Amino acid sequence: MTAQTITITQPDDWHVHLRDGDMLNQVAEYTARQFGRAIIMPNLAPPVTTTALASAYRDRILAATSDYPDFQPLMTAYLTDSIAPEELVKGHEQGVFTAAKLYPANATTNSSFGVSDMKGIYPVLEAMQEIGMPLLVHGEVVDSEIDIFDREAVFIETIMAPLLKDMPELKVVFEHITTKDAADFVASQGDNIAATITAHHLQINRNDMLVGGIKPHLYCLPVAKRELHRLALRKAATSGSKKFFLGTDTAPHAIGAKESACGCAGIFSAPHAIEVYTQVFEEDGALDQLEKFASLNGPAFYDLPVNQKQISLVKESQQVPATIGEGDLTISPYQAGEILAWRLV
Ligand code: OTD
Ligand code: ZN
Ligand code: ZN
């Protein structure tokens, strides 16, 4: 008997952290070997705030992925309190910036330059609304009084809903949603609002991270929530709704930075991302919806053509390596040492 195989349009990853320097060179090919395009997050230190910085970063990514010459990094601008609307419009017109990223100040890794006052960047958001440039949002409030597990739900109420009321035509991607609240909110909005969902948030809940010993490699932001939220995310991803698409939020940190008294947030899921998503869709009896989520809904939202190539996955088990990379940059990948059901051909 030959193993089951599925073939789909090549997917894209609509949310990726590739880092820079040696780490970039170590991790970038894992994304480029699976995905046609990737939305590149701008949270470098210092962040990618200008067209010139983004253009130079894109060149470094292209150099790091030269074995995959068809791979296209799509760049994003990091919004700050002081970014000028003209800079964004210029970068978008020149084909450098595909989108702009909103980090509430200090919400996640390298986000201290993020936005502290939404109203302060309204001129920027109005310009984006005007030219149809998507706003990508890390949707968590950062107020110290708000419980970490409630930060996404409170963001919807206090920031996202008022923003969409003021900017009804703005295209917004609610990135890496982790709650039923966010899935329901996105589903209830117009076609200009969509969301990415990570592979890990479809598989893990907060017990996986905290029960039986703390698992630092499953710590990320937004943090995994309770089981009812995981189930709601699976329902949204596999529903066939064009509002939900693939974004791994792969975010590599060296093992030492994760296994620490103050461990960094981030899960490195790039090496086997498409296999993990495929497994999730198969488990939910929704393999027929995988191509929409992974390869069609994203380009439709971003007004880009779908990829010409196809990829195939075969139902053959494989073991995720215990570690990836070398020396100081050794990383523990998502599901290190575990067995996956599918393999990218
Ligand atoms: N979450 N880690 C990182 C970013 C994401 O919020 C995110 O997009 C990172 O390390 O850059 C993380 O846990
Ligand atoms: Zn984020
Ligand atoms: Zn991210």
PDB file of all heavy atoms in Angstrom, residues 15 17 19 43 101 103 108-109 138 176 219-222 249 251 253 265-267, ligand 1:
ATOM      1  N   HIS A  15       3.383  35.308   9.100  1.00  0.00           N
ATOM      2  CA  HIS A  15       3.914  35.903  10.346  1.00  0.00           C
ATOM      3  C   HIS A  15       5.181  35.145  10.780  1.00  0.00           C
ATOM      4  O   HIS A  15       5.087  34.053  11.330  1.00  0.00           O
ATOM      5  CB  HIS A  15       2.864  35.845  11.460  1.00  0.00           C
ATOM      6  CG  HIS A  15       3.273  36.576  12.696  1.00  0.00           C
ATOM      7  ND1 HIS A  15       2.493  37.534  13.292  1.00  0.00           N
ATOM      8  CD2 HIS A  15       4.390  36.497  13.459  1.00  0.00           C
ATOM      9  CE1 HIS A  15       3.099  38.010  14.357  1.00  0.00           C
ATOM     10  NE2 HIS A  15       4.266  37.391  14.486  1.00  0.00           N
ATOM     11  N   HIS A  17       9.388  35.519  12.370  1.00  0.00           N
ATOM     12  CA  HIS A  17      10.549  36.244  12.903  1.00  0.00           C
ATOM     13  C   HIS A  17      11.809  35.547  12.397  1.00  0.00           C
ATOM     14  O   HIS A  17      12.078  34.405  12.790  1.00  0.00           O
ATOM     15  CB  HIS A  17      10.536  36.244  14.430  1.00  0.00           C
ATOM     16  CG  HIS A  17       9.314  36.908  15.001  1.00  0.00           C
ATOM     17  ND1 HIS A  17       9.276  38.244  15.333  1.00  0.00           N
ATOM     18  CD2 HIS A  17       8.067  36.424  15.244  1.00  0.00           C
ATOM     19  CE1 HIS A  17       8.063  38.552  15.778  1.00  0.00           C
ATOM     20  NE2 HIS A  17       7.309  37.469  15.730  1.00  0.00           N
ATOM     21  N   ARG A  19      14.915  37.116  12.541  1.00  0.00           N
ATOM     22  CA  ARG A  19      16.088  37.670  13.237  1.00  0.00           C
ATOM     23  C   ARG A  19      17.086  38.241  12.231  1.00  0.00           C
ATOM     24  O   ARG A  19      16.740  38.604  11.136  1.00  0.00           O
ATOM     25  CB  ARG A  19      16.769  36.613  14.140  1.00  0.00           C
ATOM     26  CG  ARG A  19      15.812  35.820  15.041  1.00  0.00           C
ATOM     27  CD  ARG A  19      14.963  36.679  15.936  1.00  0.00           C
ATOM     28  NE  ARG A  19      14.304  35.900  16.970  1.00  0.00           N
ATOM     29  CZ  ARG A  19      13.213  36.276  17.599  1.00  0.00           C
ATOM     30  NH1 ARG A  19      12.622  37.439  17.310  1.00  0.00           N
ATOM     31  NH2 ARG A  19      12.695  35.526  18.541  1.00  0.00           N
ATOM     32  N   ASN A  43      10.682  43.274  14.408  1.00  0.00           N
ATOM     33  CA  ASN A  43      11.140  43.545  15.790  1.00  0.00           C
ATOM     34  C   ASN A  43      12.606  43.157  15.992  1.00  0.00           C
ATOM     35  O   ASN A  43      12.950  42.379  16.857  1.00  0.00           O
ATOM     36  CB  ASN A  43      10.238  42.849  16.821  1.00  0.00           C
ATOM     37  CG  ASN A  43      10.228  41.335  16.703  1.00  0.00           C
ATOM     38  OD1 ASN A  43      10.370  40.777  15.623  1.00  0.00           O
ATOM     39  ND2 ASN A  43      10.056  40.658  17.829  1.00  0.00           N
ATOM     40  N   LYS A 101       3.351  47.013  11.271  1.00  0.00           N
ATOM     41  CA  LYS A 101       3.098  46.203  12.458  1.00  0.00           C
ATOM     42  C   LYS A 101       2.914  47.076  13.687  1.00  0.00           C
ATOM     43  O   LYS A 101       3.755  47.919  13.993  1.00  0.00           O
ATOM     44  CB  LYS A 101       4.296  45.263  12.655  1.00  0.00           C
ATOM     45  CG  LYS A 101       4.167  44.327  13.838  1.00  0.00           C
ATOM     46  CD  LYS A 101       3.080  43.288  13.604  1.00  0.00           C
ATOM     47  CE  LYS A 101       2.691  42.602  14.896  1.00  0.00           C
ATOM     48  NZ  LYS A 101       3.449  41.411  15.202  1.00  0.00           N
ATOM     49  N   TYR A 103       2.891  47.104  17.563  1.00  0.00           N
ATOM     50  CA  TYR A 103       3.175  46.486  18.856  1.00  0.00           C
ATOM     51  C   TYR A 103       2.827  47.489  19.935  1.00  0.00           C
ATOM     52  O   TYR A 103       3.427  48.560  19.983  1.00  0.00           O
ATOM     53  CB  TYR A 103       4.676  46.179  19.020  1.00  0.00           C
ATOM     54  CG  TYR A 103       5.205  45.070  18.170  1.00  0.00           C
ATOM     55  CD1 TYR A 103       5.981  45.350  17.045  1.00  0.00           C
ATOM     56  CD2 TYR A 103       4.969  43.747  18.486  1.00  0.00           C
ATOM     57  CE1 TYR A 103       6.494  44.327  16.265  1.00  0.00           C
ATOM     58  CE2 TYR A 103       5.479  42.716  17.708  1.00  0.00           C
ATOM     59  CZ  TYR A 103       6.242  43.011  16.598  1.00  0.00           C
ATOM     60  OH  TYR A 103       6.751  42.009  15.825  1.00  0.00           O
ATOM     61  N   THR A 108       5.921  42.425  23.640  1.00  0.00           N
ATOM     62  CA  THR A 108       6.653  41.181  23.400  1.00  0.00           C
ATOM     63  C   THR A 108       8.131  41.490  23.172  1.00  0.00           C
ATOM     64  O   THR A 108       8.571  42.618  23.415  1.00  0.00           O
ATOM     65  CB  THR A 108       6.003  40.385  22.229  1.00  0.00           C
ATOM     66  OG1 THR A 108       6.597  39.091  22.154  1.00  0.00           O
ATOM     67  CG2 THR A 108       6.164  41.096  20.899  1.00  0.00           C
ATOM     68  N   THR A 109       8.894  40.479  22.716  1.00  0.00           N
ATOM     69  CA  THR A 109      10.338  40.625  22.497  1.00  0.00           C
ATOM     70  C   THR A 109      10.651  41.843  21.613  1.00  0.00           C
ATOM     71  O   THR A 109      10.034  42.023  20.569  1.00  0.00           O
ATOM     72  CB  THR A 109      10.865  39.337  21.807  1.00  0.00           C
ATOM     73  OG1 THR A 109      10.461  38.213  22.577  1.00  0.00           O
ATOM     74  CG2 THR A 109      12.363  39.362  21.651  1.00  0.00           C
ATOM     75  N   HIS A 138      -0.320  43.128  17.100  1.00  0.00           N
ATOM     76  CA  HIS A 138      -0.114  42.268  18.275  1.00  0.00           C
ATOM     77  C   HIS A 138      -1.175  42.691  19.285  1.00  0.00           C
ATOM     78  O   HIS A 138      -1.041  43.727  19.922  1.00  0.00           O
ATOM     79  CB  HIS A 138       1.305  42.437  18.850  1.00  0.00           C
ATOM     80  CG  HIS A 138       1.529  41.563  20.045  1.00  0.00           C
ATOM     81  ND1 HIS A 138       2.344  40.462  20.026  1.00  0.00           N
ATOM     82  CD2 HIS A 138       1.000  41.606  21.299  1.00  0.00           C
ATOM     83  CE1 HIS A 138       2.311  39.866  21.213  1.00  0.00           C
ATOM     84  NE2 HIS A 138       1.510  40.554  22.009  1.00  0.00           N
ATOM     85  N   HIS A 176      -1.692  36.152  15.317  1.00  0.00           N
ATOM     86  CA  HIS A 176      -1.565  35.053  16.295  1.00  0.00           C
ATOM     87  C   HIS A 176      -2.661  35.062  17.369  1.00  0.00           C
ATOM     88  O   HIS A 176      -2.383  35.176  18.549  1.00  0.00           O
ATOM     89  CB  HIS A 176      -0.177  35.038  16.950  1.00  0.00           C
ATOM     90  CG  HIS A 176       0.329  36.352  17.493  1.00  0.00           C
ATOM     91  ND1 HIS A 176      -0.416  37.175  18.291  1.00  0.00           N
ATOM     92  CD2 HIS A 176       1.530  36.962  17.370  1.00  0.00           C
ATOM     93  CE1 HIS A 176       0.309  38.224  18.617  1.00  0.00           C
ATOM     94  NE2 HIS A 176       1.488  38.129  18.064  1.00  0.00           N
ATOM     95  N   TYR A 219       6.676  28.372  26.056  1.00  0.00           N
ATOM     96  CA  TYR A 219       6.298  29.717  26.495  1.00  0.00           C
ATOM     97  C   TYR A 219       6.437  30.685  25.327  1.00  0.00           C
ATOM     98  O   TYR A 219       7.505  30.794  24.718  1.00  0.00           O
ATOM     99  CB  TYR A 219       7.179  30.173  27.664  1.00  0.00           C
ATOM    100  CG  TYR A 219       6.956  31.626  28.026  1.00  0.00           C
ATOM    101  CD1 TYR A 219       5.699  32.069  28.436  1.00  0.00           C
ATOM    102  CD2 TYR A 219       7.993  32.559  27.936  1.00  0.00           C
ATOM    103  CE1 TYR A 219       5.485  33.404  28.748  1.00  0.00           C
ATOM    104  CE2 TYR A 219       7.789  33.891  28.249  1.00  0.00           C
ATOM    105  CZ  TYR A 219       6.536  34.301  28.647  1.00  0.00           C
ATOM    106  OH  TYR A 219       6.325  35.624  28.946  1.00  0.00           O
ATOM    107  N   CYS A 220       5.348  31.366  25.028  1.00  0.00           N
ATOM    108  CA  CYS A 220       5.372  32.367  23.965  1.00  0.00           C
ATOM    109  C   CYS A 220       4.343  33.430  24.319  1.00  0.00           C
ATOM    110  O   CYS A 220       3.566  33.279  25.253  1.00  0.00           O
ATOM    111  CB  CYS A 220       5.009  31.732  22.620  1.00  0.00           C
ATOM    112  SG  CYS A 220       3.321  31.095  22.583  1.00  0.00           S
ATOM    113  N   LEU A 221       4.348  34.494  23.549  1.00  0.00           N
ATOM    114  CA  LEU A 221       3.343  35.544  23.694  1.00  0.00           C
ATOM    115  C   LEU A 221       2.584  35.706  22.387  1.00  0.00           C
ATOM    116  O   LEU A 221       3.230  35.690  21.334  1.00  0.00           O
ATOM    117  CB  LEU A 221       4.004  36.869  24.096  1.00  0.00           C
ATOM    118  CG  LEU A 221       4.592  36.860  25.512  1.00  0.00           C
ATOM    119  CD1 LEU A 221       5.431  38.103  25.755  1.00  0.00           C
ATOM    120  CD2 LEU A 221       3.484  36.751  26.558  1.00  0.00           C
ATOM    121  N   PRO A 222       1.307  35.848  22.396  1.00  0.00           N
ATOM    122  CA  PRO A 222       0.451  35.702  23.570  1.00  0.00           C
ATOM    123  C   PRO A 222       0.543  34.266  24.110  1.00  0.00           C
ATOM    124  O   PRO A 222       0.622  33.318  23.349  1.00  0.00           O
ATOM    125  CB  PRO A 222      -0.953  35.983  23.038  1.00  0.00           C
ATOM    126  CG  PRO A 222      -0.746  36.688  21.731  1.00  0.00           C
ATOM    127  CD  PRO A 222       0.550  36.195  21.189  1.00  0.00           C
ATOM    128  N   ASP A 249       4.281  32.500  13.448  1.00  0.00           N
ATOM    129  CA  ASP A 249       4.928  33.250  14.529  1.00  0.00           C
ATOM    130  C   ASP A 249       6.184  32.522  15.017  1.00  0.00           C
ATOM    131  O   ASP A 249       6.527  32.590  16.195  1.00  0.00           O
ATOM    132  CB  ASP A 249       3.964  33.515  15.693  1.00  0.00           C
ATOM    133  CG  ASP A 249       4.464  34.622  16.620  1.00  0.00           C
ATOM    134  OD1 ASP A 249       5.407  35.339  16.234  1.00  0.00           O
ATOM    135  OD2 ASP A 249       3.916  34.751  17.725  1.00  0.00           O
ATOM    136  N   ALA A 251       9.621  32.010  16.215  1.00  0.00           N
ATOM    137  CA  ALA A 251      10.399  33.053  16.905  1.00  0.00           C
ATOM    138  C   ALA A 251      11.563  32.401  17.645  1.00  0.00           C
ATOM    139  O   ALA A 251      11.451  32.075  18.829  1.00  0.00           O
ATOM    140  CB  ALA A 251       9.506  33.833  17.865  1.00  0.00           C
ATOM    141  N   HIS A 253      14.838  31.494  19.690  1.00  0.00           N
ATOM    142  CA  HIS A 253      15.768  31.978  20.724  1.00  0.00           C
ATOM    143  C   HIS A 253      16.718  30.821  21.027  1.00  0.00           C
ATOM    144  O   HIS A 253      16.288  29.655  21.053  1.00  0.00           O
ATOM    145  CB  HIS A 253      15.024  32.327  22.021  1.00  0.00           C
ATOM    146  CG  HIS A 253      14.136  33.526  21.914  1.00  0.00           C
ATOM    147  ND1 HIS A 253      14.598  34.823  22.050  1.00  0.00           N
ATOM    148  CD2 HIS A 253      12.809  33.637  21.697  1.00  0.00           C
ATOM    149  CE1 HIS A 253      13.585  35.667  21.917  1.00  0.00           C
ATOM    150  NE2 HIS A 253      12.480  34.974  21.698  1.00  0.00           N
ATOM    151  N   ALA A 265      10.280  34.692  25.542  1.00  0.00           N
ATOM    152  CA  ALA A 265       9.053  34.172  24.916  1.00  0.00           C
ATOM    153  C   ALA A 265       9.325  33.896  23.447  1.00  0.00           C
ATOM    154  O   ALA A 265       9.956  34.701  22.769  1.00  0.00           O
ATOM    155  CB  ALA A 265       7.938  35.202  25.045  1.00  0.00           C
ATOM    156  N   GLY A 266       8.811  32.782  22.943  1.00  0.00           N
ATOM    157  CA  GLY A 266       8.943  32.501  21.514  1.00  0.00           C
ATOM    158  C   GLY A 266       9.113  31.020  21.276  1.00  0.00           C
ATOM    159  O   GLY A 266       9.800  30.340  22.034  1.00  0.00           O
ATOM    160  N   ILE A 267       8.463  30.519  20.224  1.00  0.00           N
ATOM    161  CA  ILE A 267       8.512  29.099  19.857  1.00  0.00           C
ATOM    162  C   ILE A 267       9.046  29.011  18.434  1.00  0.00           C
ATOM    163  O   ILE A 267       8.542  29.697  17.535  1.00  0.00           O
ATOM    164  CB  ILE A 267       7.105  28.469  19.969  1.00  0.00           C
ATOM    165  CG1 ILE A 267       6.680  28.411  21.441  1.00  0.00           C
ATOM    166  CG2 ILE A 267       7.070  27.081  19.319  1.00  0.00           C
ATOM    167  CD1 ILE A 267       5.299  27.835  21.696  1.00  0.00           C
TER     168      ILE A 267
HETATM  169  N1  OTD B   1       5.855  36.160  20.461  1.00  0.00           N
HETATM  170  N2  OTD B   1       8.139  35.899  20.789  1.00  0.00           N
HETATM  171  C1  OTD B   1       8.427  36.801  19.823  1.00  0.00           C
HETATM  172  C2  OTD B   1       7.434  37.405  19.121  1.00  0.00           C
HETATM  173  C3  OTD B   1       6.100  36.847  19.235  1.00  0.00           C
HETATM  174  O1  OTD B   1       4.307  38.273  19.785  1.00  0.00           O
HETATM  175  C4  OTD B   1       4.999  37.791  18.898  1.00  0.00           C
HETATM  176  O2  OTD B   1       4.818  38.042  17.702  1.00  0.00           O
HETATM  177  C5  OTD B   1       9.840  37.069  19.566  1.00  0.00           C
HETATM  178  O3  OTD B   1      10.682  36.437  20.208  1.00  0.00           O
HETATM  179  O4  OTD B   1      10.134  37.900  18.680  1.00  0.00           O
HETATM  180  C6  OTD B   1       6.859  35.604  21.135  1.00  0.00           C
HETATM  181  O5  OTD B   1       6.622  34.839  22.073  1.00  0.00           O
END
